[in-house]
Amino acid sequence: MDKSILDKINKFTRRPLSEDEVYVFSVILCDNDIDRDCERFSENALDTLREKFIGKTGIFDHDASTSNQNARIFDTELVTDDTLLTQFGKPYVYLKAMAYMVRTDENKNLIAEIDGGIKKEVSISCSAAKRICSVCGNDKNISTCNHVKGKKYSGNMCHTVLDDITDAYEWSFVAVPAQVNAGVTKKYSDDDTIKSQAKDIQLCDEELRRDIRKFAYFAGGRAAADIASVSAANMNTQQLITLRRSFELQCRKSKTEVQLEYGAESEDTADSFTMK
């Protein structure tokens, strides 16, 4: 082990540790690609996280108890992979961290699981002061817009860009992360931000339900639209997106092109959109 690595580790210890006493491994904390929640970090956010995650502790499943601490980050770097492109066509950038654990009898099984690829996926917890709509640039922490995450506009999928990172809390080993390559759990500490986010999700879900009724109408008539409305009433955002795509595909197969007109608010479905 290079002496410079031990020097970085020993900045966090009460006494100097030797190479034989520590186990060192690397993790990808997060990246700039669109995740399963239709969100991504800006490169500016990644750079801020690079600084803030040095010294942060590693736990399991975001259970913030002292008995659950198992590792600590001692170094970070941003890595650009020019051979890979993100879903929005930019070079892939990820935040890589180096972490250490003190070797003990209690954690030898955990070390074996890390080496064996069992404990692999990680997730981070942080605060983002800005949540920018990728379509219109609106900051959803301040006001809402009508663009729906996961829906395509001019061929590009709408997503939220997380920026202006105010704090980084911890990182965890998890079973199913939000990001494909690392996993991110966003944590918003401000009550107003949480309320704004909930309102934003509600508006998006309402728009998705309107779209589902419209597509179902042209796919199978008013009866199909009524059934679709009932089915969509208790669905979450991801389920609504999936159902909308299903009805949209049915319309395409039947060569029916639906032109959605969101300005109309008629009780009659046929009055609120047109068919070409």
Side-chain angles (χ1 to χ4, degrees):
M1 181 183 298
D2 192 280
K3 182 179 180 298
S4 63
I5 294 178
L6 273 179
D7 288 342
K8 291 178 180 179
I9 291 173
N10 284 326
K11 290 180 180 179
F12 302 98
T13 63
R14 293 188 63 184
R15 67 168 179 83
L17 299 178
S18 66
E19 179 178 345
D20 293 337
E21 292 179 285
V22 297
Y23 171 74
V24 176
F25 61 101
S26 62
V27 292
I28 296 177
L29 295 176
C30 51
D31 55 39
N32 67 335
D33 209 351
I34 303 170
D35 64 21
R36 293 186 176 98
D37 296 328
C38 291
E39 296 181 339
R40 70 173 176 88
F41 286 112
S42 69
E43 290 188 31
N44 179 63
L46 290 177
D47 192 49
T48 302
L49 289 170
R50 176 185 61 80
E51 298 176 352
K52 290 186 177 295
F53 263 104
I54 293 178
K56 291 299 187 291
T57 189
I59 58 180
F60 286 100
D61 298 318
H62 300 290
D63 181 7
S65 64
T66 55
S67 61
N68 201 26
Q69 292 176 295
N70 54 75
R72 191 172 299 278
I73 291 173
F74 65 89
D75 198 12
T76 58
E77 65 172 319
L78 285 183
V79 181
T80 301
D81 187 344
D82 293 322
T83 65
L84 295 176
L85 295 179
T86 63
Q87 296 179 58
F88 54 96
K90 298 295 183 180
Y92 178 65
V93 180
Y94 61 91
L95 175 57
K96 178 182 177 182
M98 297 297 294
Y100 77 94
M101 295 191 297
V102 179
R103 292 181 182 271
T104 65
D105 290 337
E106 288 75 17
N107 68 15
K108 61 183 180 181
N109 289 333
L110 173 57
I111 291 174
E113 290 178 334
I114 293 174
D115 285 340
I118 305 301
K119 291 292 188 295
K120 181 179 180 181
E121 290 77 14
V122 300
S123 169
I124 70 170
S125 180
C126 65
S127 289
K130 293 182 179 179
R131 299 187 305 116
I132 309 298
C133 173
S134 65
V135 177
C136 66
N138 179 66
D139 185 353
K140 296 185 178 183
N141 281 351
I142 299 176
S143 61
T144 60
C145 66
N146 292 325
H147 300 117
V148 181
K149 290 195 302 183
K151 182 178 176 180
K152 287 190 175 182
Y153 297 86
S154 300
N156 298 313
M157 185 173 70
C158 177
H159 59 277
T160 299
V161 182
L162 302 177
D163 200 5
D164 194 6
I165 302 299
T166 57
D167 203 355
Y169 304 112
E170 42 79 10
W171 56 282
S172 295
F173 286 104
V174 295
V176 183
Q179 287 198 332
V180 175
N181 294 313
V184 178
T185 297
K186 275 71 65 175
K187 183 176 181 180
Y188 306 100
S189 57
D190 185 83
D191 289 342
D192 291 336
T193 299
I194 295 173
K195 291 177 182 178
S196 175
Q197 183 187 23
K199 180 63 174 177
D200 185 30
I201 292 173
Q202 179 184 356
L203 291 173
C204 289
D205 287 353
E206 289 174 357
E207 183 176 349
L208 282 167
R209 291 186 177 96
R210 288 195 297 269
D211 284 359
I212 287 168
R213 180 173 179 82
K214 294 167 185 177
F215 279 116
Y217 179 86
F218 283 120
R222 188 171 299 278
D226 291 341
I227 293 173
S229 295
V230 174
S231 299
N234 296 316
M235 289 184 175
N236 60 34
T237 303
Q238 189 57 52
Q239 291 170 328
L240 291 171
I241 291 173
T242 301
L243 184 60
R244 182 191 186 281
R245 288 174 178 169
S246 175
F247 280 118
E248 184 179 11
L249 182 61
Q250 291 182 46
C251 289
R252 288 178 179 175
K253 286 182 177 179
S254 64
K255 297 182 180 180
T256 300
E257 182 181 348
V258 180
Q259 179 64 45
L260 303 179
E261 296 178 351
Y262 296 107
E265 296 293 340
S266 172
E267 290 289 335
D268 189 341
T269 303
D271 290 339
S272 61
F273 52 92
T274 59
M275 179 176 68
K276 293 182 178 180

